[in-house]
Structure formats: C-alpha cells, structure tokens
Amino acid sequence: MKAKFAFPIVIAGSLALAACGTDGAEEAAPEEKAEAAETTTAVNGDAGVDATTVSDSESPVKSQASDGTGQADMRKKMQALDYTEFELEVEYDNDEEYEAQLELKSDNSVVAGYEDDMNGIKKQGIEAFNDLYPLVEQLELTPSSNQEEEIRKVLSTFSLPDDFSDFSLELRFSDGTKHEFKVEQ
C-alpha cells in the first residue's frame, strides 16, 4: 500500500521541480548580450532598468541596473549641465585615440561611454558616467568660446597630451544650439 501512494508523490514532485527549473539559457543570455555591447549604455527612463545598446543599432537590451536610483541621478545631473550632448574624439599619430560621449537624449535616457587607447580603458553606462560627468561639469564651454583656448581646457581637464593629430568636440547646448570644435594638425 505504501508503494501505491509513493509513486504519485514522486511523480508530482518531479513535475513541480521540472516546472520550476531552467535549462540555464535564460541566465546565460544577459552575459552574452553584455559582452556584445560595444560603446555605450543607454539608461532608460524606467526606474531600475539599464538598457545596453550596441554602438550602431541603438536597440536596447534590458537588464537589471546595479543601482536602482542611478538612472534618476544621471538624468538629474545631466539636466544641471549647460549641454545635453558632449562628444569628444582626439586622435594621435601612433594610432591611439580617446573617445568620450555623454548625452541626455530627448526621451530622457542618458548615454555614456568612453574608450582610452593610451591607458587601455573602455567603460560604458553608469561606470563611464561616473568618470566622465565630473570632467564635463568642470568645463565651461560656450558657442562663442575661443577654439584654441577651449581645446587646451578640454585636453587639460581630460589629462590628454596636446600633440594630437585630430581633435573633434561636438556639443549640443540645453537650448538646442549645436557647436563643433575641430582641428587637424
């Protein structure tokens, strides 16, 4: 009689465990998607959601943010700046370059990322924002700024050598005005 009741209990328990378990594919997918992300991380306006984007496609891949309040803080800080977009590219003769992007998009998402070939650093998302924001905040650039003076300020603030071959800085100010500083040497 004990065997009569044991068999259905074992079957029911097995089915319950099978329904709760995963094959591991769901857990591996966010890691694979994170490795595929190349240059920027867009932080969506939804609290607690971090959307990573591949540099060319801008299509978000949602994953949990490490800090639920990080996105709101980034938006708030970006709104306090005079610019909504900061994009810097500095190239050097030895095929090394420094690229940085910090942008508050019209949908209130924040894009942040940088790549520093000279120091072998490549960061995205909240980590890149935390490195870039204090530097960008120090800069007081205006559309009427003297180009040479502003380039020196940017190079100094970002601790970059001044022997560049190409320098490009694109800014979009809070009022929508766009300004570019470009120099080829």
Side-chain angles (χ1 to χ4, degrees), residues 40-44 49-53 59-63 65 71 109-110:
T40 60
T41 299
V43 180
N44 193 338
V49 177
D50 184 11
T52 303
T53 59
S59 62
V61 176
K62 294 186 179 187
S63 63
Q71 298 106 16
S109 63
V110 175

Side-chain angles (χ1 to χ4, degrees), residues 109-126:
S109 63
V110 175
V111 175
Y114 72 95
E115 185 171 352
D116 179 353
D117 290 344
M118 292 156 288
N119 295 306
I121 300 171
K122 185 176 183 178
K123 293 186 180 181
Q124 305 167 23
I126 292 171

Side-chain angles (χ1 to χ4, degrees), residues 146-184:
N146 175 305
Q147 183 166 305
E148 277 185 39
E149 194 176 303
E150 298 304 340
I151 290 172
R152 274 183 284 182
K153 279 184 193 178
V154 171
L155 293 173
S156 174
T157 301
F158 281 78
S159 301
L160 296 172
D162 59 0
D163 62 342
F164 60 87
S165 57
D166 290 318
F167 179 97
S168 174
L169 174 62
E170 294 181 23
L171 299 171
R172 183 174 310 274
F173 292 90
S174 299
D175 66 0
T177 307
K178 190 170 183 177
H179 190 71
E180 295 183 28
F181 297 97
K182 288 190 178 199
V183 173
E184 293 182 27

Side-chain angles (χ1 to χ4, degrees), residues 81 83 132-141 153 156-157:
L81 287 178
Y83 0 91
L132 292 174
Y133 179 80
L135 300 174
V136 173
E137 183 182 34
Q138 289 178 34
L139 298 171
E140 295 180 10
L141 306 172
K153 279 184 193 178
S156 174
T157 301

Side-chain angles (χ1 to χ4, degrees), residues 18-67:
C20 293
T22 65
D23 62 0
E26 292 173 5
E27 294 172 19
E31 292 172 13
E32 293 168 3
K33 290 176 184 176
E35 290 173 4
E38 292 189 7
T39 59
T40 60
T41 299
V43 180
N44 193 338
D46 301 331
V49 177
D50 184 11
T52 303
T53 59
V54 178
S55 61
D56 295 333
S57 69
E58 293 283 334
S59 62
V61 176
K62 294 186 179 187
S63 63
Q64 286 292 64
S66 60
D67 178 1

